[in-house]
Amino acid sequence: MTTALCPGSFDPPTNGHVDVIERAIAAFERVVVSVVDNPSKESLFSIEERISLLEELFGGRAEIGSFSGLLVEYAAEVGADVVVKGLRTVDDYEYEMQMSQMNRSLSGMETVFMATKSDWSFISSSLVKEVAKLGGSIDGLVPSAVEKALQERLT
Ligand SMILES: Nc1ncnc2c1ncn2[C@@H]1O[C@H](COP(=O)(O)OP(=O)(O)OP(=O)(O)O)[C@@H](O)[C@H]1O
Ligand SMILES: [Mg+2]
């Protein structure tokens, strides 16, 4: 059985994340979606809130968790064979290429890249938060549960 790990900040999950994770669920037998607990990165939603949004979106189809520390160590703990990352821009490419090469050098872990659907290529959690904070519409950019959570958090 091939297990894929989809790591991310998911602060909050967007339609871009949903697209990549849905495609991972279709491609791999077991999928673990995990929130990276990075205390040095300021977040709008707590780890628990992000886990509960991900449970609402993928519960029953993927295992949801969180971790801090080295990705390759966590991947070994959950029995992941590959890491799945989405690629949007040249910036993603450069950063993700470097990370994937480091992870392979650390533990032999393979990274599989999924090219974003063009509809979502401009979406990041940061930009969605910025637009929502400034009062712009994020309708169609995030799942409805996330839109609701954002409205509640920002009003
Ligand atoms: N719109 C998108 N299309 C495809 N992949 C995406 C998209 N948004 C995020 N991803 C992928 O999801 C994974 C986790 O990303 P992350 O949680 O850092 O999202 P982010 O939107 O970049 O957040 P932030 O704005 O906080 O950096 C990464 O592999 C990233 O490339
Ligand atoms: Mg990012």
Side-chain angles (χ1 to χ4, degrees):
M1 183 166 73
T2 309
T3 297
L5 171 62
C6 302
S9 305
F10 305 115
D11 185 41
T14 67
N15 283 346
H17 292 125
V18 171
D19 176 46
V20 169
I21 293 167
E22 295 281 1
R23 284 155 63 197
I25 289 171
F28 297 97
E29 291 159 288
R30 177 173 167 247
V31 173
V32 179
V33 179
S34 252
V35 181
V36 182
D37 186 359
N38 179 359
S40 65
K41 200 170 164 184
E42 199 188 316
S43 65
L44 184 63
F45 294 99
S46 69
I47 299 288
E48 293 69 28
E49 288 169 325
R50 286 178 259 168
I51 287 176
S52 110
L53 285 168
L54 291 167
E55 283 285 1
E56 200 170 330
L57 296 168
F58 308 110
R61 298 184 299 138
E63 293 162 43
I64 315 298
S66 73
F67 72 100
S68 54
L70 269 186
L71 175 78
V72 292
E73 278 179 10
Y74 177 74
E77 271 168 40
V78 296
D81 305 288
V82 295
V83 172
V84 171
K85 303 300 297 271
L87 282 185
R88 286 161 294 194
T89 58
V90 179
D91 283 352
D92 271 355
Y93 175 85
E94 286 187 354
Y95 176 75
E96 297 293 354
M97 182 65 71
Q98 194 180 12
M99 291 301 289
S100 73
Q101 286 163 340
M102 177 57 87
N103 288 335
R104 192 162 57 233
S105 144
L106 285 170
S107 77
M109 174 62 63
E110 283 293 356
T111 302
V112 171
F113 292 112
M114 290 208 180
T116 183
K117 205 174 157 202
S118 56
D119 305 31
W120 315 127
S121 63
F122 63 97
I123 302 177
S124 68
S125 297
S126 314
L127 194 52
V128 162
K129 283 184 282 190
E130 195 178 329
V131 169
K133 276 178 193 162
L134 296 171
S137 170
I138 49 159
D139 188 24
L141 306 183
V142 296
S144 54
V146 172
E147 196 176 340
K148 194 162 154 268
L150 270 167
Q151 275 160 2
E152 282 168 10
R153 183 56 41 97
L154 297 172
T155 48

